[in-house]
Amino acid sequence: MVLWNKLYPSLFLSFFLLAAGPSKGKTVEQQLKIELRSIAHEFLMQLNDSTSRILPIEKQGNRYAIEFDREFVFEPEQLIHATYAVMKKSTDDWSYVVEVEKCGTGELVHSFEATSTKKQGTIACKERALQMGCYILYFTPSSLVHGELVAENDSLSTLLLLLISLVLLISIFYGIKRWKRTNTASELINIGQFNYDPKGMTLSLKTELIELSSKESDLLFLLFSNENKTLQREYILKEVWGDDGDYVGRTLDVFISKLRKKLEADTSLSIINARGIGYRFVMKKVTSKN
């Protein structure tokens, strides 16, 4: 929870930019596809066809392909009229090169240019009706301004996405480092003048860092947790070394001696030997002199 609170502002900003940044390029293409779908719908209305389904528009290179779920017969003028009817209502300044190809063969059977600055574009073969068949309509935006805008926005979106990802990763990296430092500091135990790190198995006093073995750390923690209590030898051996009995008679005395040596820098700490019983950990209160 602490880590999340620290990272939340960075994450929020990053995801906000990620959501806002790439949307411009996508909006242009989405608007284009909406207009093309409107042209396809108007074209079907010209054919008095209200049942055929317009398949999802696919971008193939610089062209946008419009396909239908059934065959049809049409006159080129119907497609031209449908294109200009939609362009006339549109607020976007699109221009198109329109090509009609036979499905499967790729044979070009009709083409024309539709521009918003003229009442009609350059029309080829507009007088000849096309027979019943499967046709694909290809629309190529011929306006360089719009064509470059889509590509430019896509590139900018990719770059922005990479930058945001980098910022996000850096924020997470440093956030985790800060959290680790804070979390580590919060786990330190004050034993007299020492800072005791149970996980790191270290004692620190000012600039001095004293490393503890696993058993030394377990023994210190047990004694400290039972401050001023005399713990029996058998109890200490069982808690620190377990039921395996991996110790000899003087094992505990040796480790007590090691701990005393490592704690000797703070004279307020002492491990007292209760003869014949065990050991007691004592911390004397240091009174400040006025």
Side-chain angles (χ1 to χ4, degrees):
M1 191 67 180
V2 175
L3 177 59
W4 171 251
N5 289 336
K6 287 180 176 294
L7 290 181
Y8 179 76
S10 298
L11 290 173
F12 178 79
L13 177 61
S14 298
F15 283 117
F16 174 78
L17 292 174
L18 183 61
S23 63
K24 294 182 179 179
K26 290 184 178 180
T27 300
V28 172
E29 186 159 330
Q30 286 174 350
Q31 290 176 346
L32 173 61
K33 286 186 176 181
I34 290 173
E35 180 162 316
L36 293 179
R37 182 165 286 275
S38 298
I39 292 174
H41 173 75
E42 181 64 28
F43 175 56
L44 289 177
M45 293 299 98
Q46 294 279 343
L47 301 179
N48 295 318
D49 183 350
S50 59
T51 59
S52 293
R53 187 166 63 91
I54 305 168
L55 301 181
I57 297 174
E58 295 184 0
K59 185 177 181 181
Q60 301 177 4
N62 294 327
R63 304 194 302 176
Y64 293 81
I66 302 177
E67 298 184 64
F68 305 89
D69 66 344
R70 66 178 64 178
E71 296 183 346
F72 53 87
V73 60
F74 75 100
E75 296 181 0
E77 289 91 337
Q78 292 173 309
L79 178 56
I80 295 170
H81 292 324
T83 302
Y84 276 102
V86 173
M87 289 175 63
K88 185 177 180 180
K89 300 175 184 177
S90 176
T91 57
D92 294 315
D93 188 21
W94 293 107
S95 296
Y96 304 104
V97 172
V98 185
E99 300 167 291
V100 182
E101 295 181 4
K102 282 188 176 181
C103 300
T105 66
E107 178 187 352
L108 180 65
V109 296
H110 178 60
S111 66
F112 65 94
E113 183 181 7
T115 63
S116 58
T117 56
K118 300 179 181 179
K119 292 184 179 180
Q120 67 178 36
T122 303
I123 302 174
C125 304
K126 68 175 183 177
E127 72 285 346
R128 184 160 56 89
L130 299 175
Q131 61 185 359
M132 177 68 70
C134 174
Y135 299 100
I136 304 177
L137 313 182
Y138 288 100
F139 284 75
T140 304
S142 58
S143 170
L144 293 179
V145 174
H146 285 85
E148 290 178 354
L149 180 60
V150 173
E152 181 182 346
N153 280 341
D154 287 344
S155 299
L156 288 175
S157 298
T158 303
L159 178 60
L160 184 59
L161 178 60
L162 290 174
L163 290 175
I164 291 174
S165 300
L166 180 61
V167 171
L168 184 58
L169 287 173
I170 292 174
S171 299
I172 292 175
F173 174 74
Y174 282 103
I176 290 175
K177 287 189 67 176
R178 289 195 301 269
W179 176 79
K180 283 185 175 180
R181 287 197 298 268
T182 303
N183 193 49
T184 300
S186 65
E187 292 177 350
L188 295 178
I189 299 173
N190 293 324
I191 300 181
Q193 299 178 33
F194 289 99
N195 284 323
Y196 170 48
D197 181 2
K199 289 187 176 181
M201 294 186 297
T202 60
L203 281 170
S204 58
L205 179 61
K206 298 181 180 178
T207 59
E208 183 182 7
L209 184 67
I210 303 171
E211 294 184 355
L212 302 172
S213 68
S214 175
K215 296 304 181 185
E216 288 173 342
S217 180
D218 292 343
L219 179 57
L220 175 60
F221 187 79
L222 178 64
L223 293 171
F224 170 74
S225 300
N226 294 274
E227 180 188 355
N228 295 323
K229 293 181 182 178
T230 300
L231 301 180
Q232 294 182 353
R233 295 177 61 89
E234 293 76 11
Y235 174 77
I236 297 174
L237 288 169
K238 183 177 180 180
E239 288 295 315
V240 176
W241 278 268
D243 295 325
D244 296 335
D246 186 19
Y247 50 83
V248 294
R250 289 189 54 81
T251 297
L252 178 55
D253 299 326
V254 172
F255 276 85
I256 289 292
S257 177
K258 289 181 179 180
L259 273 183
R260 282 172 174 162
K261 186 172 181 60
K262 292 183 177 182
L263 295 171
E264 65 182 5
D266 186 352
T267 56
S268 69
L269 305 178
S270 60
I271 302 175
I272 299 174
N273 182 14
R275 190 176 299 274
I277 300 175
Y279 292 95
R280 182 172 71 254
F281 185 77
V282 177
M283 290 194 298
K284 296 178 182 178
K285 293 184 179 180
V286 179
T287 57
S288 59
K289 294 181 180 180
N290 296 327

